[in-house]
């Protein structure tokens, strides 16, 4: 059983929320796979995670960077898990990933201001619940933190 943290993004964007979540996860000793829906998103966030804060960076990589097994945070569009991660971060997923049960924790982010993304999220919530995963709902605070609501 995977712990699913269902997290609609409002008021912050994925560009703001993802670095904070990854910083916390990596500081806690986790390795993560971050799954996007397009290669364009992988390229965008690969650059973003190096530059979002001029005083720090998040160690990460993609399949084109090499040394995939050594990347604490691995960005992909596929079901690969070369770094042995125990955490999956879904970024605007449209369906439940086939291998969600291979992770102890899954953070499912969606744009809470997009009606279509919200509808897709509801379908994933139902599928997670039917599969027996431990699902919780987390709401963003105005300051960018998270509060468990359900």
């Amino acid at each position: 059983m995977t712990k699913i943290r269902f997290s609609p993004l409002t008021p912050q964007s994925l560009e703001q929320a993802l670095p904070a979540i990854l910083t916390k996860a990596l500081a806690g000793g986790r390795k993560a796979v971050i799954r996007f829906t397009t290669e364009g998103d992988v390229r965008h966030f690969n650059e973003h995670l190096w530059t979002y804060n001029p005083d720090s960076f998040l160690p990460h990589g993609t399949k084109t960077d090499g040394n995939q097994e050594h990347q604490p945070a691995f960005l992909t569009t596929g079901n690969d898990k070369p770094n042995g991660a125990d955490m999956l971060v879904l970024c605007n997923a449209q369906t439940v990933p086939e291998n969600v049960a291979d992770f102890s924790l899954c953070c499912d982010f969606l744009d809470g201001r997009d009606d279509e993304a919200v509808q897709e999220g509801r379908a994933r919530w139902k599928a997670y619940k039917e599969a027996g995963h431990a699902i919780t709902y987390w709401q963003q605070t105005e300051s960018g933190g998270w509060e468990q609501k359900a």
Side-chain angles (χ1 to χ4, degrees):
M1 174 175 56
T2 302
K3 292 179 184 175
I4 308 288
R5 293 183 182 167
F6 196 78
S7 308
L9 293 168
T10 57
Q12 290 188 335
S13 67
L14 186 58
E15 282 84 355
Q16 295 167 305
L18 185 60
I21 293 294
L22 289 178
T23 297
K24 185 174 181 178
L26 298 181
R30 287 191 179 274
K31 286 188 175 184
V33 167
I34 302 90
R35 187 168 304 147
F36 298 94
T37 55
T38 69
E39 288 295 331
D41 285 341
V42 170
R43 287 188 299 275
H44 168 74
F45 280 93
N46 189 27
E47 178 66 25
H48 179 67
L49 293 176
W50 289 116
T51 61
Y52 78 97
N53 182 341
D55 297 325
S56 68
F57 71 95
L58 282 166
H60 69 280
T62 68
K63 63 183 175 186
T64 59
D65 296 325
N67 298 310
Q68 299 170 23
E69 66 278 5
H70 300 294
Q71 302 295 347
F74 180 73
L75 286 60
T76 186
T77 59
N79 288 326
D80 39 347
K81 182 178 151 177
N83 61 350
D86 65 338
M87 178 180 179
L88 174 63
V89 180
L90 297 176
C91 300
N92 298 316
Q94 296 169 332
T95 60
V96 172
E98 296 172 11
N99 67 339
V100 71
D102 294 345
F103 299 88
S104 62
L105 175 63
C106 173
C107 296
D108 187 326
F109 290 110
L110 68 125
D111 184 345
R113 297 165 290 198
D114 179 323
D115 290 338
E116 185 176 339
V118 170
Q119 291 302 320
E120 291 167 348
R122 288 181 178 142
R124 287 193 311 282
W125 175 285
K126 183 178 178 184
Y128 291 138
K129 193 168 185 111
E130 288 173 356
H133 297 294
I135 185 168
T136 54
Y137 180 87
W138 293 77
Q139 186 175 33
Q140 250 185 336
T141 64
E142 289 297 322
S143 63
W146 294 92
E147 293 179 346
Q148 184 175 344
K149 294 294 185 177

